[in-house]
Amino acid sequence: MKKLLLTGFALVSMAAQAQSWTAQATNFPANFGVDEIKIVDASTAWTFAYDGSGAGTYPKIVSLTTNGGTTWTAKTVVGPGANALISDITAIDGSTAWIVTAPSGAGANANKIYKTTNGGTAWTQQASGFAAASFGNQIHFWDANNGWVCGDPIAGKFEMYKTANGGTSWTAVAGAPAPFGGQGGEFSYVGVKEVVGDKIWIGTDLGRILQSPDRGVTWTGNFSPVLDFGGVTTSGSSGSMAFKDVNNGVLIAVDGDTTASIYATTD
């Protein structure tokens, strides 16, 4: 990867270019912010909320736009238990979307998948196979039938499942990657993923990027300049990545409150 330091001039330039952005109202409650967002096309996008009030709650609210963000409709997700949080969201149009949930506290197994086919008005739980010991992190659907979901490692592998029938049934991924250092040695983070075409990338607490070229069937892993993509294992560290195609992407690595670097990859 090629490293480019973010200088003050670069930051000023980026800020200047951002002046054309227009604020849009998600219609979330006051002090709730945007967590993850799934942009389906120029008109359609889904997102879900986090609690920015400091109260420490985990809201189960999604918002949808079908007109490019001019208006957003927020709806409560009915189904997940009180001990669940929404980890990630994926969608294929303005009617059909999926969420994966994970534990926010003690109680019954909160690692679940839910699907809506009516724009978020109602959600149906799917039988994913997730174990209670895991933690659901990421989900993605390529079309109405083919999807992939991932959780933290269990029994020596990241817990991954695939579906070819819209989530009616899910099958464990035999080639799921093992955590570096063995069980308990590595985990991923909610929503930390990139998908371009058939390729998937996810980031871990050890700074590794796990990647699959074939929709999650096989996996490889490489250490990146990021120390920890979410700051749980290495405090103050975080990372974010984006790809425009299967080879070309950028990575932002943050180490502490004042140091940030941006890297580019072409392979």
Side-chain angles (χ1 to χ4, degrees):
M1 290 186 175
K2 181 181 180 182
K3 177 179 179 181
L4 303 170
L5 290 178
L6 286 178
T7 67
F9 294 107
L11 292 172
V12 170
S13 175
M14 291 166 65
Q17 294 179 37
Q19 298 305 309
S20 61
W21 289 87
T22 301
Q24 297 181 336
T26 60
N27 286 314
F28 288 150
N31 298 317
F32 280 20
V34 170
D35 199 319
E36 302 296 329
I37 187 168
K38 170 61 179 179
I39 299 173
V40 178
D41 53 39
S43 299
T44 308
W46 294 73
T47 186
F48 63 90
Y50 73 87
D51 184 355
S53 70
T57 68
Y58 293 95
K60 301 172 184 67
I61 304 174
V62 301
S63 192
L64 166 68
T65 180
T66 56
N67 55 14
T70 301
T71 57
W72 291 77
T73 302
K75 299 178 181 180
T76 299
V77 178
V78 177
N83 68 322
L85 57 85
I86 299 177
S87 299
D88 199 9
I89 189 168
T90 187
I92 58 169
D93 54 36
S95 298
T96 306
W98 294 258
I99 58 171
V100 58
T101 64
S104 64
N109 185 356
N111 296 296
K112 305 291 184 183
I113 298 172
Y114 295 86
K115 178 182 181 180
T116 180
T117 57
N118 55 13
T121 299
W123 296 79
T124 301
Q125 182 183 323
Q126 298 188 320
S128 67
F130 269 123
S134 187
F135 194 97
N137 284 313
Q138 303 102 4
I139 189 168
H140 182 80
F141 268 76
W142 287 268
D143 52 44
N145 292 314
N146 295 285
W148 160 88
V149 68
C150 177
D152 281 346
I154 186 170
K157 290 183 178 181
F158 279 82
E159 192 175 19
M160 296 183 182
Y161 299 91
K162 293 195 68 179
T163 181
N165 55 17
T168 301
S169 60
W170 293 81
T171 303
V173 176
F180 187 83
Q183 184 68 32
E186 185 179 28
F187 56 86
S188 186
Y189 290 103
V190 296
V192 179
K193 75 173 190 302
E194 275 291 299
V195 181
V196 175
D198 293 340
K199 193 160 186 177
I200 310 169
W201 299 265
I202 61 176
T204 78
D205 69 310
L206 299 184
R208 280 209 304 166
I209 296 176
L210 306 178
Q211 55 182 307
S212 169
D214 48 19
R215 297 189 174 188
V217 176
T218 60
W219 290 83
T220 58
N222 295 288
F223 282 97
S224 77
V226 177
L227 298 178
D228 181 346
F229 273 87
V232 172
T233 299
T234 303
S235 180
S237 177
S238 64
S240 183
M241 55 186 162
F243 284 80
K244 71 174 184 179
D245 56 41
V246 296
N247 290 314
N248 295 281
V250 292
L251 175 74
I252 295 177
V254 177
D255 185 12
D257 295 331
T258 59
T259 304
S261 301
I262 185 168
Y263 298 78
T265 182
T266 57
D267 61 2

